[in-house]
Amino acid sequence: ESEMVAFIDNSRDNGALWNSLLNATLECSAVPTHSRSLELIETTLKSQLNVEHCQIHLPTDELSSAHKLNDDQDEPLKPMTKITFLSGVPDELRGFFEVNHWESIVMIPIAKNSRHGFVSFASLNPNKYTADTDTEFLEKIGIVVTELLIPGN
């Protein structure tokens, strides 16, 4: 019986997460593409998904934002093809984050056509984002952010 209760609780939690992503998608989609900023998407994801830190990172030749990367920082983005989990902020990535004291980080690739970048979520909790985290939901976040930022085919 306790396993059934745990299963039902987990299902409710998962349903709530998917509902939060849907709400974030609908909220951002309601804003015309030309008015949709990285900060709007970051703030909406942070609020709807209840995360401590959300930041979108794009190379300099893409959308204008305070979070653009300079040319020296573009290289680490290119090979990113899968979700990456970090324990703390490594020295080579310190320039990517506004704050460098996070204990756990997940970097979710966003890519479409020749455009690429990543969404990062970070937490002071060292166990929040680990290699044991289910990536299905995180992959969907990457798809949603990609479509919000880079609409069309």
Side-chain angles (χ1 to χ4, degrees), residues 8 15 18 33 35 42-43 45 49 55 58 60 62 65 67 69 82 86 90 94 99 102 105 112-114 129 138:
I8 291 170
W18 287 102
T33 304
S35 299
E42 290 168 343
T43 303
L45 288 172
L49 300 177
Q55 192 170 343
L58 295 170
T60 55
E62 299 193 19
S65 164
H67 303 313
L69 305 175
K82 63 181 179 144
L86 301 172
R94 290 212 175 262
V99 178
W102 302 111
I105 299 166
K112 190 172 188 181
N113 304 324
S114 63
Y129 306 111
L138 298 172

Side-chain angles (χ1 to χ4, degrees), residues 19-40:
N19 192 47
S20 295
L21 180 58
L22 174 62
N23 288 338
T25 304
L26 293 173
E27 188 174 326
C28 289
S29 295
V31 175
T33 304
H34 65 277
S35 299
R36 206 176 292 151
S37 70
L38 295 182
E39 288 149 311
L40 169 73

Side-chain angles (χ1 to χ4, degrees), residues 127-147:
N127 300 312
K128 176 81 173 184
Y129 306 111
T130 68
D132 295 330
T133 303
D134 181 19
T135 60
E136 180 183 6
F137 184 72
L138 298 172
E139 289 167 357
K140 298 299 185 219
I141 291 171
I143 291 167
V144 166
V145 172
T146 298
E147 290 303 317

Side-chain angles (χ1 to χ4, degrees), residues 103-115:
E103 295 293 325
S104 64
I105 299 166
V106 61
M107 297 175 6
I108 306 163
I110 53 176
K112 190 172 188 181
N113 304 324
S114 63
R115 296 179 176 180

Side-chain angles (χ1 to χ4, degrees), residues 88-91 93-103 105:
V89 181
D91 289 340
L93 294 179
R94 290 212 175 262
F96 285 89
F97 300 94
E98 293 171 346
V99 178
N100 291 306
H101 63 272
W102 302 111
E103 295 293 325
I105 299 166

